[in-house]
Amino acid sequence: MNIPANLKYTKDHEWVSVEGDVATIGITDFAQGELGDIVYVEIETVGETMDQEEVFGSVEAVKTVSDLFMPVSGEIIEFNAGLESNPEAVNKDPYGDGWMIKVKLSNPSEVDSLLDAAGYQALVG
C-alpha cells in the first residue's frame, strides 16, 4: 500500500497536498483498493465554498457508492475533468492523475489537524 510521506490524510481516506494557499485532494491508495474498480466520479461543487468534513462529491465503484468529504475548508476551484472520461485513473494513480479537486484554502491551519503518513498507516493497519 502506497502512503506518500509528503501528503496529509483524513480518517475518511482522502489525501491532501498543499502548495501555497491551494490544496489538491483525492482518495488514498487504500480507499481505491477497498472500493474496487471506479466507474464514475461525481463532483458538482466547483465554485462552492465548503466547510471541513462536508460532502463535496461521490465516487461510484462497481460494488458501491462512497461520499467524498472535504479534508479542509475552502472554495473548490477546479475539478479534474480527466476523470469524466477516465475514472479508472483513481485506481491506477490515486496520488497523480487520479486527483479529484483543487481547493483555495480558507483556513490553512486545518491542514495541521490532518494525519501524517505514519498516523494514516496506523489507522489503516
Side-chain angles (χ1 to χ4, degrees), residues 3-43:
I3 303 176
N6 62 319
L7 303 176
K8 292 289 202 163
Y9 301 89
T10 71
K11 62 181 176 19
D12 298 310
H13 311 290
E14 284 87 18
W15 60 263
V16 181
S17 170
V18 178
E19 212 170 289
D21 64 351
V22 175
T24 302
I25 297 166
I27 64 169
T28 65
D29 188 36
F30 175 83
Q32 70 79 22
E34 291 292 300
L35 287 167
D37 292 338
I38 293 171
V39 295
Y40 189 66
V41 178
E42 180 176 25
I43 297 172

PDB file of all heavy atoms in Angstrom, residues 3-43:
ATOM      1  N   ILE A   3       1.614   5.057   0.747  1.00  0.00           N
ATOM      2  CA  ILE A   3       1.224   6.185   1.597  1.00  0.00           C
ATOM      3  C   ILE A   3       2.359   7.213   1.548  1.00  0.00           C
ATOM      4  O   ILE A   3       3.266   7.191   2.379  1.00  0.00           O
ATOM      5  CB  ILE A   3       0.957   5.744   3.055  1.00  0.00           C
ATOM      6  CG1 ILE A   3      -0.124   4.650   3.087  1.00  0.00           C
ATOM      7  CG2 ILE A   3       0.541   6.939   3.906  1.00  0.00           C
ATOM      8  CD1 ILE A   3      -0.390   4.075   4.455  1.00  0.00           C
ATOM      9  N   PRO A   4       2.334   8.114   0.547  1.00  0.00           N
ATOM     10  CA  PRO A   4       3.431   9.084   0.418  1.00  0.00           C
ATOM     11  C   PRO A   4       3.603   9.946   1.681  1.00  0.00           C
ATOM     12  O   PRO A   4       2.628  10.449   2.246  1.00  0.00           O
ATOM     13  CB  PRO A   4       2.995   9.948  -0.775  1.00  0.00           C
ATOM     14  CG  PRO A   4       2.093   9.056  -1.570  1.00  0.00           C
ATOM     15  CD  PRO A   4       1.370   8.230  -0.550  1.00  0.00           C
ATOM     16  N   ALA A   5       4.856  10.119   2.092  1.00  0.00           N
ATOM     17  CA  ALA A   5       5.176  10.860   3.314  1.00  0.00           C
ATOM     18  C   ALA A   5       4.919  12.359   3.186  1.00  0.00           C
ATOM     19  O   ALA A   5       4.741  13.042   4.192  1.00  0.00           O
ATOM     20  CB  ALA A   5       6.635  10.615   3.696  1.00  0.00           C
ATOM     21  N   ASN A   6       4.863  12.880   1.954  1.00  0.00           N
ATOM     22  CA  ASN A   6       4.718  14.330   1.771  1.00  0.00           C
ATOM     23  C   ASN A   6       3.260  14.802   1.796  1.00  0.00           C
ATOM     24  O   ASN A   6       3.002  15.991   1.652  1.00  0.00           O
ATOM     25  CB  ASN A   6       5.353  14.752   0.447  1.00  0.00           C
ATOM     26  CG  ASN A   6       4.679  14.102  -0.753  1.00  0.00           C
ATOM     27  OD1 ASN A   6       4.340  12.926  -0.731  1.00  0.00           O
ATOM     28  ND2 ASN A   6       4.501  14.880  -1.806  1.00  0.00           N
ATOM     29  N   LEU A   7       2.306  13.881   1.989  1.00  0.00           N
ATOM     30  CA  LEU A   7       0.891  14.251   1.981  1.00  0.00           C
ATOM     31  C   LEU A   7       0.307  14.210   3.384  1.00  0.00           C
ATOM     32  O   LEU A   7       0.894  13.644   4.295  1.00  0.00           O
ATOM     33  CB  LEU A   7       0.100  13.286   1.079  1.00  0.00           C
ATOM     34  CG  LEU A   7       0.570  13.184  -0.371  1.00  0.00           C
ATOM     35  CD1 LEU A   7      -0.237  12.129  -1.114  1.00  0.00           C
ATOM     36  CD2 LEU A   7       0.468  14.531  -1.070  1.00  0.00           C
ATOM     37  N   LYS A   8      -0.877  14.805   3.526  1.00  0.00           N
ATOM     38  CA  LYS A   8      -1.666  14.723   4.754  1.00  0.00           C
ATOM     39  C   LYS A   8      -2.889  13.870   4.442  1.00  0.00           C
ATOM     40  O   LYS A   8      -3.314  13.766   3.287  1.00  0.00           O
ATOM     41  CB  LYS A   8      -2.099  16.118   5.223  1.00  0.00           C
ATOM     42  CG  LYS A   8      -0.953  16.979   5.701  1.00  0.00           C
ATOM     43  CD  LYS A   8      -0.421  16.468   7.022  1.00  0.00           C
ATOM     44  CE  LYS A   8       0.322  17.556   7.778  1.00  0.00           C
ATOM     45  NZ  LYS A   8       0.495  17.218   9.182  1.00  0.00           N
ATOM     46  N   TYR A   9      -3.511  13.288   5.471  1.00  0.00           N
ATOM     47  CA  TYR A   9      -4.585  12.324   5.284  1.00  0.00           C
ATOM     48  C   TYR A   9      -5.730  12.560   6.268  1.00  0.00           C
ATOM     49  O   TYR A   9      -5.532  13.137   7.332  1.00  0.00           O
ATOM     50  CB  TYR A   9      -4.041  10.899   5.483  1.00  0.00           C
ATOM     51  CG  TYR A   9      -2.929  10.578   4.525  1.00  0.00           C
ATOM     52  CD1 TYR A   9      -1.601  10.863   4.838  1.00  0.00           C
ATOM     53  CD2 TYR A   9      -3.199  10.035   3.281  1.00  0.00           C
ATOM     54  CE1 TYR A   9      -0.572  10.592   3.946  1.00  0.00           C
ATOM     55  CE2 TYR A   9      -2.170   9.769   2.370  1.00  0.00           C
ATOM     56  CZ  TYR A   9      -0.879  10.052   2.721  1.00  0.00           C
ATOM     57  OH  TYR A   9       0.129   9.801   1.824  1.00  0.00           O
ATOM     58  N   THR A  10      -6.920  12.039   5.896  1.00  0.00           N
ATOM     59  CA  THR A  10      -8.066  12.099   6.796  1.00  0.00           C
ATOM     60  C   THR A  10      -8.455  10.687   7.210  1.00  0.00           C
ATOM     61  O   THR A  10      -8.108   9.713   6.544  1.00  0.00           O
ATOM     62  CB  THR A  10      -9.299  12.743   6.123  1.00  0.00           C
ATOM     63  OG1 THR A  10      -9.815  11.838   5.138  1.00  0.00           O
ATOM     64  CG2 THR A  10      -8.960  14.082   5.486  1.00  0.00           C
ATOM     65  N   LYS A  11      -9.240  10.598   8.282  1.00  0.00           N
ATOM     66  CA  LYS A  11      -9.746   9.294   8.708  1.00  0.00           C
ATOM     67  C   LYS A  11     -10.745   8.743   7.696  1.00  0.00           C
ATOM     68  O   LYS A  11     -11.057   7.555   7.710  1.00  0.00           O
ATOM     69  CB  LYS A  11     -10.368   9.405  10.105  1.00  0.00           C
ATOM     70  CG  LYS A  11     -11.560  10.357  10.172  1.00  0.00           C
ATOM     71  CD  LYS A  11     -12.121  10.443  11.579  1.00  0.00           C
ATOM     72  CE  LYS A  11     -13.226  11.426  11.782  1.00  0.00           C
ATOM     73  NZ  LYS A  11     -13.986  11.917  10.673  1.00  0.00           N
ATOM     74  N   ASP A  12     -11.238   9.597   6.790  1.00  0.00           N
ATOM     75  CA  ASP A  12     -12.170   9.176   5.739  1.00  0.00           C
ATOM     76  C   ASP A  12     -11.453   8.783   4.445  1.00  0.00           C
ATOM     77  O   ASP A  12     -12.086   8.580   3.423  1.00  0.00           O
ATOM     78  CB  ASP A  12     -13.178  10.293   5.439  1.00  0.00           C
ATOM     79  CG  ASP A  12     -14.035  10.638   6.644  1.00  0.00           C
ATOM     80  OD1 ASP A  12     -14.602   9.710   7.253  1.00  0.00           O
ATOM     81  OD2 ASP A  12     -14.134  11.831   6.988  1.00  0.00           O
ATOM     82  N   HIS A  13     -10.121   8.729   4.483  1.00  0.00           N
ATOM     83  CA  HIS A  13      -9.289   8.222   3.382  1.00  0.00           C
ATOM     84  C   HIS A  13      -9.141   9.189   2.206  1.00  0.00           C
ATOM     85  O   HIS A  13      -8.950   8.769   1.080  1.00  0.00           O
ATOM     86  CB  HIS A  13      -9.781   6.844   2.913  1.00  0.00           C
ATOM     87  CG  HIS A  13      -9.992   5.892   4.049  1.00  0.00           C
ATOM     88  ND1 HIS A  13      -8.944   5.372   4.781  1.00  0.00           N
ATOM     89  CD2 HIS A  13     -11.134   5.413   4.610  1.00  0.00           C
ATOM     90  CE1 HIS A  13      -9.440   4.597   5.744  1.00  0.00           C
ATOM     91  NE2 HIS A  13     -10.754   4.610   5.655  1.00  0.00           N
ATOM     92  N   GLU A  14      -9.199  10.491   2.489  1.00  0.00           N
ATOM     93  CA  GLU A  14      -8.803  11.480   1.484  1.00  0.00           C
ATOM     94  C   GLU A  14      -7.356  11.878   1.763  1.00  0.00           C
ATOM     95  O   GLU A  14      -6.899  11.823   2.901  1.00  0.00           O
ATOM     96  CB  GLU A  14      -9.683  12.741   1.545  1.00  0.00           C
ATOM     97  CG  GLU A  14     -11.058  12.576   0.939  1.00  0.00           C
ATOM     98  CD  GLU A  14     -12.084  12.023   1.928  1.00  0.00           C
ATOM     99  OE1 GLU A  14     -11.832  12.078   3.147  1.00  0.00           O
ATOM    100  OE2 GLU A  14     -13.112  11.512   1.482  1.00  0.00           O
ATOM    101  N   TRP A  15      -6.653  12.292   0.712  1.00  0.00           N
ATOM    102  CA  TRP A  15      -5.302  12.829   0.873  1.00  0.00           C
ATOM    103  C   TRP A  15      -5.307  14.301   0.453  1.00  0.00           C
ATOM    104  O   TRP A  15      -6.156  14.727  -0.317  1.00  0.00           O
ATOM    105  CB  TRP A  15      -4.254  12.041   0.099  1.00  0.00           C
ATOM    106  CG  TRP A  15      -4.449  11.973  -1.391  1.00  0.00           C
ATOM    107  CD1 TRP A  15      -5.041  10.963  -2.094  1.00  0.00           C
ATOM    108  CD2 TRP A  15      -4.063  12.957  -2.367  1.00  0.00           C
ATOM    109  NE1 TRP A  15      -5.038  11.263  -3.437  1.00  0.00           N
ATOM    110  CE2 TRP A  15      -4.449  12.471  -3.630  1.00  0.00           C
ATOM    111  CE3 TRP A  15      -3.425  14.200  -2.294  1.00  0.00           C
ATOM    112  CZ2 TRP A  15      -4.226  13.182  -4.818  1.00  0.00           C
ATOM    113  CZ3 TRP A  15      -3.202  14.903  -3.461  1.00  0.00           C
ATOM    114  CH2 TRP A  15      -3.598  14.402  -4.708  1.00  0.00           C
ATOM    115  N   VAL A  16      -4.336  15.043   0.979  1.00  0.00           N
ATOM    116  CA  VAL A  16      -4.222  16.480   0.705  1.00  0.00           C
ATOM    117  C   VAL A  16      -2.762  16.820   0.444  1.00  0.00           C
ATOM    118  O   VAL A  16      -1.882  16.412   1.190  1.00  0.00           O
ATOM    119  CB  VAL A  16      -4.701  17.314   1.921  1.00  0.00           C
ATOM    120  CG1 VAL A  16      -4.598  18.805   1.635  1.00  0.00           C
ATOM    121  CG2 VAL A  16      -6.121  16.946   2.318  1.00  0.00           C
ATOM    122  N   SER A  17      -2.555  17.592  -0.629  1.00  0.00           N
ATOM    123  CA  SER A  17      -1.242  18.144  -0.935  1.00  0.00           C
ATOM    124  C   SER A  17      -1.422  19.656  -1.016  1.00  0.00           C
ATOM    125  O   SER A  17      -2.287  20.132  -1.749  1.00  0.00           O
ATOM    126  CB  SER A  17      -0.753  17.596  -2.274  1.00  0.00           C
ATOM    127  OG  SER A  17       0.396  18.292  -2.693  1.00  0.00           O
ATOM    128  N   VAL A  18      -0.633  20.412  -0.247  1.00  0.00           N
ATOM    129  CA  VAL A  18      -0.804  21.867  -0.207  1.00  0.00           C
ATOM    130  C   VAL A  18       0.368  22.554  -0.891  1.00  0.00           C
ATOM    131  O   VAL A  18       1.532  22.240  -0.635  1.00  0.00           O
ATOM    132  CB  VAL A  18      -0.928  22.363   1.250  1.00  0.00           C
ATOM    133  CG1 VAL A  18      -1.055  23.876   1.294  1.00  0.00           C
ATOM    134  CG2 VAL A  18      -2.125  21.707   1.935  1.00  0.00           C
ATOM    135  N   GLU A  19       0.028  23.492  -1.768  1.00  0.00           N
ATOM    136  CA  GLU A  19       1.019  24.331  -2.434  1.00  0.00           C
ATOM    137  C   GLU A  19       0.518  25.765  -2.326  1.00  0.00           C
ATOM    138  O   GLU A  19      -0.474  26.118  -2.960  1.00  0.00           O
ATOM    139  CB  GLU A  19       1.143  23.902  -3.899  1.00  0.00           C
ATOM    140  CG  GLU A  19       2.535  24.083  -4.444  1.00  0.00           C
ATOM    141  CD  GLU A  19       2.685  23.433  -5.804  1.00  0.00           C
ATOM    142  OE1 GLU A  19       2.705  22.191  -5.872  1.00  0.00           O
ATOM    143  OE2 GLU A  19       2.765  24.188  -6.785  1.00  0.00           O
ATOM    144  N   GLY A  20       1.182  26.573  -1.483  1.00  0.00           N
ATOM    145  CA  GLY A  20       0.703  27.934  -1.243  1.00  0.00           C
ATOM    146  C   GLY A  20      -0.631  27.881  -0.520  1.00  0.00           C
ATOM    147  O   GLY A  20      -0.749  27.252   0.531  1.00  0.00           O
ATOM    148  N   ASP A  21      -1.664  28.520  -1.104  1.00  0.00           N
ATOM    149  CA  ASP A  21      -2.989  28.507  -0.469  1.00  0.00           C
ATOM    150  C   ASP A  21      -3.968  27.600  -1.221  1.00  0.00           C
ATOM    151  O   ASP A  21      -5.186  27.723  -1.083  1.00  0.00           O
ATOM    152  CB  ASP A  21      -3.547  29.924  -0.336  1.00  0.00           C
ATOM    153  CG  ASP A  21      -3.796  30.594  -1.686  1.00  0.00           C
ATOM    154  OD1 ASP A  21      -3.382  30.048  -2.732  1.00  0.00           O
ATOM    155  OD2 ASP A  21      -4.416  31.680  -1.692  1.00  0.00           O
ATOM    156  N   VAL A  22      -3.417  26.676  -2.032  1.00  0.00           N
ATOM    157  CA  VAL A  22      -4.257  25.743  -2.787  1.00  0.00           C
ATOM    158  C   VAL A  22      -3.941  24.307  -2.369  1.00  0.00           C
ATOM    159  O   VAL A  22      -2.779  23.898  -2.320  1.00  0.00           O
ATOM    160  CB  VAL A  22      -4.053  25.907  -4.314  1.00  0.00           C
ATOM    161  CG1 VAL A  22      -4.824  24.848  -5.094  1.00  0.00           C
ATOM    162  CG2 VAL A  22      -4.480  27.307  -4.750  1.00  0.00           C
ATOM    163  N   ALA A  23      -5.010  23.560  -2.069  1.00  0.00           N
ATOM    164  CA  ALA A  23      -4.876  22.150  -1.708  1.00  0.00           C
ATOM    165  C   ALA A  23      -5.400  21.290  -2.846  1.00  0.00           C
ATOM    166  O   ALA A  23      -6.479  21.560  -3.384  1.00  0.00           O
ATOM    167  CB  ALA A  23      -5.650  21.853  -0.433  1.00  0.00           C
ATOM    168  N   THR A  24      -4.642  20.269  -3.222  1.00  0.00           N
ATOM    169  CA  THR A  24      -5.100  19.256  -4.164  1.00  0.00           C
ATOM    170  C   THR A  24      -5.559  18.069  -3.327  1.00  0.00           C
ATOM    171  O   THR A  24      -4.879  17.680  -2.376  1.00  0.00           O
ATOM    172  CB  THR A  24      -3.977  18.844  -5.128  1.00  0.00           C
ATOM    173  OG1 THR A  24      -3.512  20.013  -5.816  1.00  0.00           O
ATOM    174  CG2 THR A  24      -4.468  17.818  -6.146  1.00  0.00           C
ATOM    175  N   ILE A  25      -6.721  17.507  -3.694  1.00  0.00           N
ATOM    176  CA  ILE A  25      -7.366  16.472  -2.878  1.00  0.00           C
ATOM    177  C   ILE A  25      -7.764  15.290  -3.743  1.00  0.00           C
ATOM    178  O   ILE A  25      -8.231  15.456  -4.870  1.00  0.00           O
ATOM    179  CB  ILE A  25      -8.609  17.065  -2.176  1.00  0.00           C
ATOM    180  CG1 ILE A  25      -8.177  18.187  -1.227  1.00  0.00           C
ATOM    181  CG2 ILE A  25      -9.410  15.984  -1.444  1.00  0.00           C
ATOM    182  CD1 ILE A  25      -9.299  19.061  -0.729  1.00  0.00           C
ATOM    183  N   GLY A  26      -7.596  14.103  -3.187  1.00  0.00           N
ATOM    184  CA  GLY A  26      -8.044  12.880  -3.836  1.00  0.00           C
ATOM    185  C   GLY A  26      -8.301  11.820  -2.781  1.00  0.00           C
ATOM    186  O   GLY A  26      -8.311  12.120  -1.589  1.00  0.00           O
ATOM    187  N   ILE A  27      -8.503  10.572  -3.212  1.00  0.00           N
ATOM    188  CA  ILE A  27      -8.659   9.482  -2.251  1.00  0.00           C
ATOM    189  C   ILE A  27      -7.388   8.646  -2.248  1.00  0.00           C
ATOM    190  O   ILE A  27      -6.653   8.595  -3.224  1.00  0.00           O
ATOM    191  CB  ILE A  27      -9.904   8.608  -2.511  1.00  0.00           C
ATOM    192  CG1 ILE A  27      -9.824   7.864  -3.841  1.00  0.00           C
ATOM    193  CG2 ILE A  27     -11.171   9.438  -2.381  1.00  0.00           C
ATOM    194  CD1 ILE A  27     -10.909   6.792  -4.023  1.00  0.00           C
ATOM    195  N   THR A  28      -7.146   7.991  -1.121  1.00  0.00           N
ATOM    196  CA  THR A  28      -5.899   7.259  -0.935  1.00  0.00           C
ATOM    197  C   THR A  28      -5.873   5.941  -1.703  1.00  0.00           C
ATOM    198  O   THR A  28      -6.902   5.429  -2.151  1.00  0.00           O
ATOM    199  CB  THR A  28      -5.680   6.957   0.558  1.00  0.00           C
ATOM    200  OG1 THR A  28      -6.710   6.073   1.000  1.00  0.00           O
ATOM    201  CG2 THR A  28      -5.655   8.231   1.396  1.00  0.00           C
ATOM    202  N   ASP A  29      -4.682   5.409  -1.812  1.00  0.00           N
ATOM    203  CA  ASP A  29      -4.477   4.103  -2.424  1.00  0.00           C
ATOM    204  C   ASP A  29      -5.293   3.046  -1.676  1.00  0.00           C
ATOM    205  O   ASP A  29      -5.926   2.180  -2.280  1.00  0.00           O
ATOM    206  CB  ASP A  29      -2.981   3.775  -2.401  1.00  0.00           C
ATOM    207  CG  ASP A  29      -2.629   2.533  -3.184  1.00  0.00           C
ATOM    208  OD1 ASP A  29      -3.249   2.288  -4.239  1.00  0.00           O
ATOM    209  OD2 ASP A  29      -1.723   1.802  -2.739  1.00  0.00           O
ATOM    210  N   PHE A  30      -5.312   3.135  -0.355  1.00  0.00           N
ATOM    211  CA  PHE A  30      -6.107   2.208   0.454  1.00  0.00           C
ATOM    212  C   PHE A  30      -7.589   2.303   0.073  1.00  0.00           C
ATOM    213  O   PHE A  30      -8.251   1.284  -0.138  1.00  0.00           O
ATOM    214  CB  PHE A  30      -5.929   2.519   1.948  1.00  0.00           C
ATOM    215  CG  PHE A  30      -6.812   1.696   2.845  1.00  0.00           C
ATOM    216  CD1 PHE A  30      -6.432   0.414   3.227  1.00  0.00           C
ATOM    217  CD2 PHE A  30      -8.020   2.202   3.310  1.00  0.00           C
ATOM    218  CE1 PHE A  30      -7.251  -0.355   4.057  1.00  0.00           C
ATOM    219  CE2 PHE A  30      -8.837   1.442   4.129  1.00  0.00           C
ATOM    220  CZ  PHE A  30      -8.457   0.167   4.507  1.00  0.00           C
ATOM    221  N   ALA A  31      -8.104   3.529  -0.033  1.00  0.00           N
ATOM    222  CA  ALA A  31      -9.528   3.732  -0.346  1.00  0.00           C
ATOM    223  C   ALA A  31      -9.889   3.169  -1.715  1.00  0.00           C
ATOM    224  O   ALA A  31     -10.898   2.474  -1.865  1.00  0.00           O
ATOM    225  CB  ALA A  31      -9.880   5.215  -0.283  1.00  0.00           C
ATOM    226  N   GLN A  32      -9.071   3.457  -2.723  1.00  0.00           N
ATOM    227  CA  GLN A  32      -9.401   2.951  -4.062  1.00  0.00           C
ATOM    228  C   GLN A  32      -9.355   1.430  -4.081  1.00  0.00           C
ATOM    229  O   GLN A  32     -10.144   0.792  -4.770  1.00  0.00           O
ATOM    230  CB  GLN A  32      -8.530   3.588  -5.153  1.00  0.00           C
ATOM    231  CG  GLN A  32      -7.072   3.200  -5.179  1.00  0.00           C
ATOM    232  CD  GLN A  32      -6.787   1.848  -5.809  1.00  0.00           C
ATOM    233  OE1 GLN A  32      -7.580   1.335  -6.589  1.00  0.00           O
ATOM    234  NE2 GLN A  32      -5.648   1.261  -5.451  1.00  0.00           N
ATOM    235  N   GLY A  33      -8.450   0.856  -3.303  1.00  0.00           N
ATOM    236  CA  GLY A  33      -8.355  -0.600  -3.233  1.00  0.00           C
ATOM    237  C   GLY A  33      -9.582  -1.227  -2.584  1.00  0.00           C
ATOM    238  O   GLY A  33     -10.064  -2.275  -3.002  1.00  0.00           O
ATOM    239  N   GLU A  34     -10.095  -0.563  -1.539  1.00  0.00           N
ATOM    240  CA  GLU A  34     -11.295  -1.049  -0.856  1.00  0.00           C
ATOM    241  C   GLU A  34     -12.530  -0.905  -1.739  1.00  0.00           C
ATOM    242  O   GLU A  34     -13.418  -1.758  -1.718  1.00  0.00           O
ATOM    243  CB  GLU A  34     -11.511  -0.269   0.450  1.00  0.00           C
ATOM    244  CG  GLU A  34     -10.475  -0.547   1.521  1.00  0.00           C
ATOM    245  CD  GLU A  34     -10.562  -1.959   2.085  1.00  0.00           C
ATOM    246  OE1 GLU A  34     -11.622  -2.309   2.627  1.00  0.00           O
ATOM    247  OE2 GLU A  34      -9.577  -2.709   1.963  1.00  0.00           O
ATOM    248  N   LEU A  35     -12.595   0.187  -2.505  1.00  0.00           N
ATOM    249  CA  LEU A  35     -13.762   0.429  -3.365  1.00  0.00           C
ATOM    250  C   LEU A  35     -13.793  -0.515  -4.560  1.00  0.00           C
ATOM    251  O   LEU A  35     -14.858  -0.903  -5.016  1.00  0.00           O
ATOM    252  CB  LEU A  35     -13.756   1.874  -3.866  1.00  0.00           C
ATOM    253  CG  LEU A  35     -14.106   2.940  -2.847  1.00  0.00           C
ATOM    254  CD1 LEU A  35     -13.754   4.320  -3.388  1.00  0.00           C
ATOM    255  CD2 LEU A  35     -15.577   2.874  -2.477  1.00  0.00           C
ATOM    256  N   GLY A  36     -12.647  -0.861  -5.077  1.00  0.00           N
ATOM    257  CA  GLY A  36     -12.585  -1.674  -6.293  1.00  0.00           C
ATOM    258  C   GLY A  36     -12.614  -0.782  -7.522  1.00  0.00           C
ATOM    259  O   GLY A  36     -12.278   0.401  -7.456  1.00  0.00           O
ATOM    260  N   ASP A  37     -13.029  -1.336  -8.646  1.00  0.00           N
ATOM    261  CA  ASP A  37     -12.986  -0.612  -9.916  1.00  0.00           C
ATOM    262  C   ASP A  37     -13.917   0.597  -9.911  1.00  0.00           C
ATOM    263  O   ASP A  37     -15.140   0.447  -9.819  1.00  0.00           O
ATOM    264  CB  ASP A  37     -13.355  -1.534 -11.079  1.00  0.00           C
ATOM    265  CG  ASP A  37     -12.303  -2.606 -11.310  1.00  0.00           C
ATOM    266  OD1 ASP A  37     -11.148  -2.401 -10.891  1.00  0.00           O
ATOM    267  OD2 ASP A  37     -12.647  -3.645 -11.897  1.00  0.00           O
ATOM    268  N   ILE A  38     -13.329   1.786 -10.020  1.00  0.00           N
ATOM    269  CA  ILE A  38     -14.103   3.029 -10.013  1.00  0.00           C
ATOM    270  C   ILE A  38     -14.615   3.302 -11.416  1.00  0.00           C
ATOM    271  O   ILE A  38     -13.858   3.287 -12.386  1.00  0.00           O
ATOM    272  CB  ILE A  38     -13.250   4.183  -9.453  1.00  0.00           C
ATOM    273  CG1 ILE A  38     -12.995   3.893  -7.963  1.00  0.00           C
ATOM    274  CG2 ILE A  38     -13.937   5.523  -9.657  1.00  0.00           C
ATOM    275  CD1 ILE A  38     -12.027   4.783  -7.289  1.00  0.00           C
ATOM    276  N   VAL A  39     -15.935   3.528 -11.503  1.00  0.00           N
ATOM    277  CA  VAL A  39     -16.569   3.714 -12.807  1.00  0.00           C
ATOM    278  C   VAL A  39     -17.072   5.139 -13.015  1.00  0.00           C
ATOM    279  O   VAL A  39     -17.374   5.538 -14.139  1.00  0.00           O
ATOM    280  CB  VAL A  39     -17.731   2.715 -13.025  1.00  0.00           C
ATOM    281  CG1 VAL A  39     -17.191   1.293 -13.078  1.00  0.00           C
ATOM    282  CG2 VAL A  39     -18.804   2.830 -11.953  1.00  0.00           C
ATOM    283  N   TYR A  40     -17.164   5.932 -11.933  1.00  0.00           N
ATOM    284  CA  TYR A  40     -17.684   7.291 -12.081  1.00  0.00           C
ATOM    285  C   TYR A  40     -17.282   8.134 -10.881  1.00  0.00           C
ATOM    286  O   TYR A  40     -17.323   7.661  -9.746  1.00  0.00           O
ATOM    287  CB  TYR A  40     -19.217   7.253 -12.195  1.00  0.00           C
ATOM    288  CG  TYR A  40     -19.849   8.573 -12.559  1.00  0.00           C
ATOM    289  CD1 TYR A  40     -19.636   9.153 -13.799  1.00  0.00           C
ATOM    290  CD2 TYR A  40     -20.664   9.239 -11.658  1.00  0.00           C
ATOM    291  CE1 TYR A  40     -20.221  10.364 -14.137  1.00  0.00           C
ATOM    292  CE2 TYR A  40     -21.254  10.454 -11.988  1.00  0.00           C
ATOM    293  CZ  TYR A  40     -21.031  11.001 -13.228  1.00  0.00           C
ATOM    294  OH  TYR A  40     -21.606  12.199 -13.565  1.00  0.00           O
ATOM    295  N   VAL A  41     -16.875   9.370 -11.140  1.00  0.00           N
ATOM    296  CA  VAL A  41     -16.583  10.339 -10.082  1.00  0.00           C
ATOM    297  C   VAL A  41     -17.544  11.504 -10.287  1.00  0.00           C
ATOM    298  O   VAL A  41     -17.541  12.126 -11.353  1.00  0.00           O
ATOM    299  CB  VAL A  41     -15.119  10.828 -10.136  1.00  0.00           C
ATOM    300  CG1 VAL A  41     -14.858  11.872  -9.058  1.00  0.00           C
ATOM    301  CG2 VAL A  41     -14.157   9.655  -9.988  1.00  0.00           C
ATOM    302  N   GLU A  42     -18.383  11.776  -9.284  1.00  0.00           N
ATOM    303  CA  GLU A  42     -19.361  12.860  -9.398  1.00  0.00           C
ATOM    304  C   GLU A  42     -18.996  13.986  -8.446  1.00  0.00           C
ATOM    305  O   GLU A  42     -18.997  13.800  -7.224  1.00  0.00           O
ATOM    306  CB  GLU A  42     -20.777  12.362  -9.089  1.00  0.00           C
ATOM    307  CG  GLU A  42     -21.799  13.478  -9.216  1.00  0.00           C
ATOM    308  CD  GLU A  42     -23.224  13.009  -9.002  1.00  0.00           C
ATOM    309  OE1 GLU A  42     -23.431  12.000  -8.327  1.00  0.00           O
ATOM    310  OE2 GLU A  42     -24.121  13.673  -9.515  1.00  0.00           O
ATOM    311  N   ILE A  43     -18.675  15.135  -9.031  1.00  0.00           N
ATOM    312  CA  ILE A  43     -18.366  16.326  -8.241  1.00  0.00           C
ATOM    313  C   ILE A  43     -19.041  17.501  -8.926  1.00  0.00           C
ATOM    314  O   ILE A  43     -18.667  17.876 -10.035  1.00  0.00           O
ATOM    315  CB  ILE A  43     -16.840  16.542  -8.120  1.00  0.00           C
ATOM    316  CG1 ILE A  43     -16.234  15.358  -7.368  1.00  0.00           C
ATOM    317  CG2 ILE A  43     -16.533  17.874  -7.427  1.00  0.00           C
ATOM    318  CD1 ILE A  43     -14.740  15.315  -7.322  1.00  0.00           C
TER     319      ILE A  43
END
